[in-house]
Amino acid sequence: NALNAAIAGASTLALAAVSFNALAAQSITVGHTTSDNSHYSIGVDAFKEKLEELSGGEFTVEEHPSGALGGERDMIEGLQIGTLDAVVTSTGPLGNFVPETYVLDLPFLFKDYDQARCVLDGEVGQDLLAKIGEHDLVGLAWSENGFRHMTNSQRQIKTPEDAAGLKVRTMENEMHMAAFREMDVHPTPMAFPEVFTALQQGTVDGQENPIPVILTSNLWEVQDYLSLTGHVYSPAIMLASPILWEGLSEEEQGWFIEAAQAGAAATRAEVSRLETEGLAELKEKGMTVVEDIDKSLFQEAVEPSYKGYTDQYGSEMLDRIRNND
Ligand code: EAX
């Protein structure tokens, strides 16, 4: 009888522990700037599913899309002070925190998606994730935004001369700004949550982003012309707060990394899908698309911006990326 009572007591305790765990599931706050039907959002869904599965419900995920928690720069700062747990962000503002990542933002560096994904999944990507870890941030996995294309409200851009004189919103990224200056474009750095209104009000003539962003953030509503310049590959990354990270066991950290990789895979698949289907949709929505672009003209125009990079950071990373193809 005493044994039975002990067993009953133990199972009640076990039950209590299970329900306590369910109640105490730690909610992970994840922010990003794109909409809740975007390539990033699809990645966050996959991250959530995987993290909940691996942790048996110990962690749950709360997504804050559409820049609800601020622009990408603000959110990265939020990670450092622990006001949010994780962010999916382009590398746009990341160089301001981790200059080693600037190499990824050089124009016409990656020749296609396969090469970019391969480099980010290889040693260069791993080394950069480690560097990020030295700057009060945790790099969980490389994800993807896509090749960036120019849009504007004024005219069809076929050559760099057509772009000259336009006021174009860029990310807060020195490499991008330097490249646009070489094209005689007036770069106007701005956080993404302000872009739609700036385009609508004519504060800037144009912007540049991958097809998934132009589509899901409705930039087509305020931009008539799209030119498939593909002038720079835009990596994305899932970053975590060091404050969250230090509180996790090694096993839990492993779950976060695996879940972030699942998220990145889902995001990349959506970027690939939208490269063709999203472009067709943008045409249906009335954008005039310039597809036949002689990219070598743009590449020549922005070439001098490489010197600014190598003068400051040397050419080692650049060579490693180039040799990976
Ligand atoms: O990461 O700021 C940008 O243009 C980014 O491409 C966007 O926030 C998605």
Side-chain angles (χ1 to χ4, degrees), residues 17-78:
V18 166
S19 46
F20 177 75
N21 261 346
L23 282 177
Q26 188 178 341
S27 179
I28 302 301
T29 311
V30 183
H32 63 87
T33 52
T34 58
S35 71
D36 63 2
N37 65 346
S38 66
H39 52 319
Y40 286 1
S41 190
I42 284 168
V44 174
D45 289 346
F47 170 78
K48 174 184 164 81
E49 196 179 312
K50 194 69 176 177
L51 185 65
E52 289 177 354
E53 175 202 315
L54 289 170
S55 71
E58 182 188 329
F59 294 101
T60 182
V61 172
E62 203 183 298
E63 178 184 2
H64 297 265
S66 306
L69 301 180
E72 294 185 327
R73 190 177 181 144
D74 294 341
M75 286 192 289
I76 296 173
E77 280 167 4

Side-chain angles (χ1 to χ4, degrees), residues 194-207 219 222-223:
E194 292 159 37
V195 173
F196 186 92
T197 308
L199 293 169
Q200 191 173 41
Q201 296 182 345
T203 316
V204 289
D205 304 308
Q207 64 86 46
L219 302 184
V222 284
Q223 296 278 270

Side-chain angles (χ1 to χ4, degrees), residues 156-158 225-229 288-293:
Q156 295 191 34
I157 296 176
K158 295 177 177 163
Y225 303 103
L226 165 62
S227 293
L228 300 185
T229 45
T288 302
V289 183
V290 183
E291 294 183 73
D292 189 18
I293 300 257

Side-chain angles (χ1 to χ4, degrees), residues 40-317:
Y40 286 1
S41 190
I42 284 168
V44 174
D45 289 346
F47 170 78
K48 174 184 164 81
E49 196 179 312
K50 194 69 176 177
L51 185 65
E52 289 177 354
E53 175 202 315
L54 289 170
S55 71
E58 182 188 329
F59 294 101
T60 182
V61 172
E62 203 183 298
E63 178 184 2
H64 297 265
S66 306
L69 301 180
E72 294 185 327
R73 190 177 181 144
D74 294 341
M75 286 192 289
I76 296 173
E77 280 167 4
L79 295 177
Q80 294 185 319
I81 57 174
T83 51
L84 72 163
D85 297 312
V87 171
V88 179
T89 176
S90 72
T91 50
L94 188 58
N96 296 301
F97 300 85
V98 189
E100 289 87 349
T101 64
Y102 272 135
V103 68
L104 301 173
D105 305 306
L106 289 167
F108 297 106
L109 175 60
F110 293 107
K111 60 178 194 298
D112 55 29
Y113 279 105
D114 281 348
Q115 189 209 357
R117 292 171 184 179
C118 189
V119 164
L120 291 172
D121 291 344
E123 272 177 38
V124 167
Q126 281 305 315
D127 288 355
L128 290 173
L129 289 180
K131 280 280 173 237
I132 289 167
E134 295 169 13
H135 293 267
D136 249 346
L137 291 166
V138 180
L140 294 177
W142 289 107
S143 182
E144 187 163 82
N145 197 13
F147 276 93
R148 303 180 77 90
H149 306 294
M150 297 184 72
T151 70
N152 80 96
S153 57
Q154 301 298 310
R155 53 183 176 259
Q156 295 191 34
I157 296 176
K158 295 177 177 163
T159 65
E161 288 72 41
D162 296 331
L166 290 176
K167 206 168 170 194
V168 173
R169 177 269 175 175
T170 68
M171 296 198 287
E172 297 159 279
N173 183 293
E174 283 173 30
M175 299 302 135
H176 288 196
M177 291 175 68
F180 280 111
R181 275 191 211 105
E182 294 298 338
M183 282 169 54
D184 293 326
V185 161
H186 304 300
T188 308
M190 194 185 288
F192 188 73
E194 292 159 37
V195 173
F196 186 92
T197 308
L199 293 169
Q200 191 173 41
Q201 296 182 345
T203 316
V204 289
D205 304 308
Q207 64 86 46
E208 41 85 58
N209 249 302
I211 288 167
V213 178
I214 298 169
L215 182 66
T216 60
S217 291
N218 298 333
L219 302 184
W220 52 270
E221 283 181 14
V222 284
Q223 296 278 270
D224 289 338
Y225 303 103
L226 165 62
S227 293
L228 300 185
T229 45
H231 50 276
V232 68
Y233 175 76
S234 186
I237 186 166
M238 187 165 203
L239 297 169
S241 164
I243 293 152
L244 164 76
W245 201 244
E246 281 151 23
L248 299 176
S249 70
E250 236 172 81
E251 187 190 23
E252 290 168 334
Q253 291 179 347
W255 296 337
F256 274 75
I257 291 173
E258 198 177 329
Q261 288 168 346
T267 292
R268 283 176 177 177
E270 179 67 357
V271 171
S272 291
R273 185 183 78 78
L274 289 179
E275 274 299 305
T276 46
E277 292 176 30
L279 182 62
E281 243 182 278
L282 288 174
K283 286 180 193 164
E284 270 167 38
K285 291 185 183 301
M287 284 196 103
T288 302
V289 183
V290 183
E291 294 183 73
D292 189 18
I293 300 257
D294 183 352
K295 288 193 189 168
S296 67
L297 297 177
F298 288 84
Q299 191 166 1
E300 275 163 34
V302 300
E303 177 63 30
S305 69
Y306 271 71
K307 196 175 174 309
Y309 171 81
T310 50
D311 281 354
Q312 211 171 342
Y313 303 106
S315 60
E316 191 212 332
M317 280 308 258

